[in-house]
């Protein structure tokens, strides 16, 4: 093998190694988020259904939808949005990094939130429960 061919083979091999290292780092970052999800303290959330819904949100579990009525109302920073469309994009990608404050008998959650491509910032989630115990409205937004 001449030196030119050897240089090409070496370059290809090194670029493959760099890609593999990047993949390992990405997996480590993903794992650290998963560990954070599992170890984050949700005990501040006193409403059992809100707590279970937040647990589903944290893990990207589609059981999230089971806590809501068929077509719940939803606002994002005061603007009406379609609940199902919103969470089709957010579930499994967006999650609380901390629960900082819980109000309204456990139905209003305030904390630091990782909102996918939008970054990380303080938010509120306000759950509204109907007479059957299902959430028929969710108001979310950036917290002050």
């Amino acid at each position: 093998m001449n030196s030119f061919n050897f240089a090409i083979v070496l370059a290809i091999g090194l670029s493959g190694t760099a890609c593999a290292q990047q993949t390992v780092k990405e997996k480590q970052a993903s794992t650290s988020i998963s560990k954070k999800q599992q170890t984050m303290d949700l005990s501040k959330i006193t409403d059992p259904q809100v707590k279970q819904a937040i647990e589903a949100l944290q893990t990207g579990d589609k059981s999230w939808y089971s806590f809501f009525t068929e077509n719940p109302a939803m606002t994002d920073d005061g603007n009406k949005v379609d609940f199902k469309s919103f969470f089709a994009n957010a579930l499994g990608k967006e999650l609380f990094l901390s629960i900082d404050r819980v109000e309204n008998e456990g139905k209003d959650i305030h904390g630091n939130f990782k909102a996918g491509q939008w970054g990380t910032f303080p938010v509120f989630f306000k759950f509204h429960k109907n007479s059957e115990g299902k959430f028929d409205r969710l108001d979310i937004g950036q917290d002050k």
Side-chain angles (χ1 to χ4, degrees):
M1 182 182 307
N2 67 34
S3 61
F4 179 74
N5 287 342
F6 179 73
I8 291 173
V9 169
L10 181 61
I12 291 170
L14 289 175
S15 69
T17 302
C19 290
Q21 288 174 345
Q22 187 175 17
T23 302
V24 168
K25 286 179 185 175
E26 288 169 358
K27 285 181 183 174
Q28 288 171 340
S30 169
T31 302
S32 69
I33 289 172
S34 295
K35 287 179 183 174
K36 180 112 180 156
Q37 291 169 358
Q38 293 168 1
T39 59
M40 190 178 72
D41 182 14
L42 300 178
S43 66
K44 292 178 186 177
I45 304 173
T46 55
D47 183 286
Q49 288 163 300
V50 171
K51 185 175 182 179
Q52 290 173 344
I54 293 293
E55 286 171 346
L57 177 70
Q58 291 299 102
T59 59
D61 188 331
K62 291 186 188 230
S63 69
W64 162 258
Y65 297 105
S66 70
F67 296 96
F68 294 86
T69 59
E70 180 62 31
N71 193 19
M74 182 175 169
T75 63
D76 182 3
D77 283 327
N79 301 305
K80 286 186 177 187
V81 294
D82 182 77
F83 176 84
K84 289 180 183 172
S85 296
F86 184 92
F87 282 102
N89 294 318
L91 192 64
K93 299 175 195 142
E94 300 186 7
L95 60 122
F96 278 94
L97 299 175
S98 65
I99 303 294
D100 301 327
R101 199 168 79 248
V102 177
E103 300 172 336
N104 189 23
E105 300 174 355
K107 293 186 288 294
D108 296 356
I109 310 301
H110 301 261
N112 200 27
F113 196 77
K114 180 180 183 241
Q117 66 184 6
W118 308 111
T120 301
F121 45 86
V123 300
F124 63 82
F125 274 47
K126 296 183 178 189
F127 293 83
H128 301 266
K129 203 181 286 189
N130 69 12
S131 59
E132 287 126 32
K134 290 252 189 184
F135 302 120
D136 59 3
R137 180 182 180 98
L138 177 65
D139 297 307
I140 67 172
Q142 194 161 351
D143 219 353
K144 298 173 183 170

